[in-house]
Amino acid sequence: MDTLTGHAGALPHIADTPDRSEQQRYFDALYAHSDDPWRLRERWYERRKRALTAAMLPRERYRNALEPGCANGELSAVLAQRCDALLAADLHESAVRAARARLAPWPHARVEQRTLPREWPMGDAPFDLIVVSEFAYYLGPEDLQQLAGRIDETLADDGCLVACDWRHAFAGRQASAEAVHASFASRCGVLGVARHVEADVLIEVWTRDGRSVAQSESLA
């Protein structure tokens, strides 16, 4: 396990908590050494997880996607190739800078510095794809409830919600992966269509109508 991170994958991004200044200093120190402090590019675990997430998307292409907590944009780069428009957001300015450089080949993708869920991009909605990866379990109960509410308000009628989360315990976690996903399932007005469970990671996909890929293509 990497001593700089909370787990063998990517450390989730900064939550808007009372001790945010302490977290900010910690992340400042991490980004001072590298624009990829969690080794998102080189770790097989991370590259495989991104491939799994992309493979679980029920549609080939999306109109307007949102990725809150994008870090340096490695997952964003995968999503950009499946979307007509992508908004990625992160709290840390170094993450935003790195993500903008990563997404430069895709002019339809943009990156903004935002504190989420408070600064939710309501004006860019509706989103027919929202991907929440390694972010929500750093939120306290009220923020997690607000996140679910914002997703419900801005997810399109034909929208898809994806959540991907590390399952092991680590310092700073405020909710388990299972609790985060249960909150989304109960509060976001969606129905489950896919679920991938391993010892390390939980990935779930929900849509508004709950139709399978075969049903969407009139095959079943």
Side-chain angles (χ1 to χ4, degrees):
M1 181 177 292
D2 194 323
T3 58
L4 290 178
T5 60
H7 57 73
L11 184 71
H13 320 307
I14 307 167
D16 190 33
T17 58
D19 60 344
R20 176 180 163 189
S21 60
E22 180 180 349
Q23 291 177 325
Q24 187 76 49
R25 288 192 296 271
Y26 175 68
F27 281 82
D28 286 344
L30 287 181
Y31 274 108
H33 293 89
S34 170
D35 69 352
D36 189 15
W38 308 283
R39 297 165 60 193
L40 301 183
R41 301 186 192 109
E42 64 185 78
R43 279 180 168 147
W44 166 239
Y45 171 83
E46 295 294 342
R47 289 184 280 116
R48 176 179 177 270
K49 182 182 66 180
R50 287 194 293 273
L52 286 169
T53 302
M56 291 177 68
L57 296 178
R59 280 165 40 194
E60 184 176 7
R61 195 155 189 89
Y62 293 86
R63 299 182 304 274
N64 188 28
L66 171 67
E67 184 197 359
C70 66
N72 61 5
E74 289 301 314
L75 177 58
S76 312
V78 175
L79 298 175
Q81 299 172 63
R82 302 278 296 271
C83 305
D84 297 331
L86 169 65
L87 172 58
D90 201 281
L91 174 62
H92 200 282
E93 61 182 352
S94 295
V96 170
R97 185 165 54 249
R100 284 174 177 163
R102 184 68 179 90
L103 291 174
W106 298 280
H108 63 280
R110 72 185 198 275
V111 184
E112 296 182 356
Q113 186 173 2
R114 290 175 178 263
T115 300
L116 300 172
R118 181 194 300 171
E119 297 175 340
W120 196 259
M122 303 295 291
D124 293 280
F127 302 102
D128 60 336
L129 176 63
I130 299 176
V131 179
V132 185
S133 179
E134 313 277 14
F135 163 68
Y137 50 35
Y138 252 62
L139 301 177
E142 291 184 5
D143 284 338
L144 183 57
Q145 182 175 347
Q146 183 182 24
L147 175 63
R150 290 289 184 253
I151 291 171
D152 186 27
E153 290 174 41
T154 56
L155 189 66
D157 291 342
D158 62 345
C160 173
L161 169 64
V162 181
C164 175
D165 289 292
W166 175 256
R167 298 185 69 203
H168 298 288
F170 60 89
R173 177 192 283 277
Q174 297 202 49
S176 67
E178 289 76 10
V180 168
H181 291 213
S183 178
F184 290 164
S186 64
R187 297 177 182 273
C188 293
V190 290
L191 299 171
V193 296
R195 189 171 193 261
H196 178 83
V197 185
E198 297 183 8
D200 303 322
V201 66
L202 173 62
I203 307 173
E204 290 193 81
V205 180
W206 304 267
T207 62
R208 288 296 199 193
D209 60 17
R211 299 170 69 197
S212 71
V213 176
Q215 288 172 330
S216 297
E217 296 197 342
S218 301
L219 298 175

